[in-house]
Amino acid sequence: MKLGDISVGMVELMGRAVSALGHDPQPLFGQYQLDDLKLRSPDARISIPRFMRLGHACIERFAIPWLGLEMGRQSSPGIHGLAGLVAQTAPDIRSACKAVTEFELLSSFNARGQSQFAIEQGEGVAHFYSISPYNAYNLFVVDSVLGGWVQMLRWLSGRDDLVKRLEFEFKAPHYLEHYDHYFSCELRFAAERNAVVLHDWALDLPSRHRCASTHQGLKQLAERELERVRLGLSFREVIERAIGPLLKGQTPTLDMIAHRLNMAPWTVRRRLNAEGISFQQVMNDTRRDLAVSYVRDTTLTLGEIAYLLGFGSTAAFQRAFKRWTGQAPGRFREEARLPK
């Protein structure tokens, strides 16, 4: 199981933001083999670790730690792919927010989770899943996602007052002063979640770009595409994707996974048996594959990786990793980074 991937549309957005900040991203993109042909491909994806390294490289090269904030400002419905177009033509703000999160899988997948939209005490909350622990490589991701949602709301409503509050899991960063240039609402750092909280009165506001017939057509297309994606997964892959978001700090049980999938535990077991594999095998293989990706493709410490994979201690993770790969994780990381 890989950490995830994302549409190259987000790379195009990154380039747009870098250019808006007065720099030329093309030489750097070339180093990552991201040419115009690939950026025009409707099905092209970039892995999550590679996307984060590219963003960090832009931040370092051009000294723009607030890159994600500018990405949010430069965002548009088309960047979100089919989900964005469904949202753009939706009748109201509530429906638009639901569309962006409901069809997110059509343009991105992350083993850590999926965005959600919910009503809490009358207020709309667009919730971006946790990607902690935070470091120089991933702060811009949260900035760009929340900023993009805010920009979407501006686009749909023609107003800048729909958002009541923005919540960020990470502590206020060193570029804190830049947030005031991009947002006009309350900001909460070191919060329990990453979220855009809308005023209760904002949910029923009509969209300026609503079109009932086009919306229904696009929504039906998105639903068919989402079903096609899901039907293309084996049941083992379905279980892997359910395990990933639940691993943080714990080892998910069969009952937990069954509950997440709204299935009976015996149904999960039976369907896995039909594919010739057990739940425990899927759990072990998922942890192993994610462990290799985390060690090879990220800068997370071994302790952080151990926590994200549900191990009780770093030592327990190191023993498991050596059993899986024949190497200690530190040595594996060193060799993976040697010039090929």
Side-chain angles (χ1 to χ4, degrees):
M1 183 181 186
K2 297 181 179 179
L3 297 181
D5 53 34
I6 193 168
S7 166
V8 291
M10 290 301 294
V11 176
E12 181 178 349
L13 176 61
M14 186 183 295
R16 191 185 302 172
V18 170
S19 297
L21 292 172
H23 307 284
D24 180 9
Q26 294 310 315
L28 189 55
F29 282 14
Q31 294 177 22
Y32 280 76
Q33 292 79 50
L34 293 166
D35 55 24
D36 289 341
L37 180 62
K38 184 163 188 178
L39 295 180
R40 287 198 300 269
S41 174
D43 299 317
R45 298 281 187 117
I46 181 173
S47 72
I48 295 294
R50 192 168 175 226
F51 177 70
M52 289 183 175
R53 289 197 297 271
L54 176 61
H56 183 255
C58 289
I59 288 170
E60 290 287 288
R61 174 77 62 87
F62 306 117
I64 47 173
W66 61 94
L67 171 64
L69 299 176
E70 185 62 32
M71 288 175 64
R73 174 179 284 175
Q74 295 295 326
S75 185
S76 62
I79 290 295
H80 298 275
L82 190 51
L85 298 180
V86 176
Q88 180 177 335
T89 55
D92 51 46
I93 298 302
R94 184 195 312 266
S95 302
C97 291
K98 287 181 179 179
V100 170
T101 54
E102 180 180 356
F103 300 118
E104 180 182 65
L105 187 60
L106 296 180
S107 60
S108 68
F109 165 71
N110 195 317
R112 301 289 297 276
Q114 184 176 345
S115 301
Q116 298 179 347
F117 178 74
I119 306 299
E120 299 179 4
Q121 297 179 334
E123 298 172 341
V125 180
H127 176 204
F128 180 57
Y129 48 88
S130 172
I131 57 172
S132 66
Y134 292 99
N135 53 41
Y137 287 84
N138 59 8
L139 291 183
F140 85 93
V141 175
V142 180
D143 286 341
S144 66
V145 171
L146 299 194
W149 288 347
V150 170
Q151 184 63 19
M152 172 81 77
L153 293 168
R154 292 170 179 153
W155 177 285
L156 295 174
S157 67
R159 301 172 57 158
D160 196 34
D161 59 349
L162 273 61
V163 178
K164 178 179 181 180
R165 182 173 69 253
L166 291 177
E167 300 178 9
F168 301 84
E169 275 191 318
F170 50 82
K171 295 179 181 178
H174 66 278
Y175 54 93
L176 175 62
E177 70 276 6
H178 289 276
Y179 284 82
D180 288 337
H181 299 307
Y182 291 90
F183 305 121
S184 57
C185 61
E186 178 190 353
L187 304 175
R188 287 187 187 175
F189 293 95
E192 294 183 355
R193 61 186 180 180
N194 299 309
V196 176
V197 181
L198 283 71
H199 290 286
D200 54 3
W201 51 261
L203 298 175
D204 295 323
L205 287 178
S207 168
R208 295 189 303 163
H209 309 284
R210 63 191 181 277
C211 179
S213 59
T214 302
H215 176 68
Q216 287 303 315
L218 288 170
K219 186 176 180 181
Q220 289 172 9
L221 176 59
E223 288 170 344
R224 288 197 298 270
E225 286 298 300
L226 190 60
E227 184 65 15
R228 184 180 64 82
V229 170
R230 289 171 173 163
L231 286 175
L233 299 175
S234 66
F235 192 65
R236 172 186 178 140
E237 290 172 316
V238 171
I239 298 301
E240 288 176 343
R241 293 190 172 198
I243 288 173
L246 295 178
L247 273 174
K248 187 176 179 181
Q250 64 180 347
T251 301
T253 64
L254 174 61
D255 286 347
M256 292 169 64
I257 297 302
H259 178 74
R260 185 175 180 88
L261 296 176
N262 196 28
M263 291 181 175
W266 66 266
T267 302
V268 173
R269 187 180 292 110
R270 175 179 58 79
R271 293 188 61 177
L272 286 174
N273 288 342
E275 294 186 2
I277 195 166
S278 69
F279 175 75
Q280 192 56 51
Q281 285 176 286
V282 178
M283 174 66 70
N284 292 340
D285 290 350
T286 301
R287 281 174 128 185
R288 179 199 63 209
D289 294 347
L290 289 175
V292 169
S293 293
Y294 279 131
V295 171
R296 182 188 60 212
D297 300 327
T298 77
T299 61
L300 296 172
T301 67
L302 299 185
E304 290 169 340
I305 295 173
Y307 175 74
L308 290 174
L309 295 179
F311 285 93
S313 68
T314 303
F317 165 66
Q318 290 176 310
R319 288 193 298 270
F321 192 90
K322 190 168 185 178
R323 185 174 66 253
W324 290 328
T325 67
Q327 287 183 299
R331 180 62 178 166
F332 185 93
R333 175 172 275 176
E334 290 174 4
E335 291 191 359
R337 295 178 180 177
L338 290 175
K340 298 291 193 293

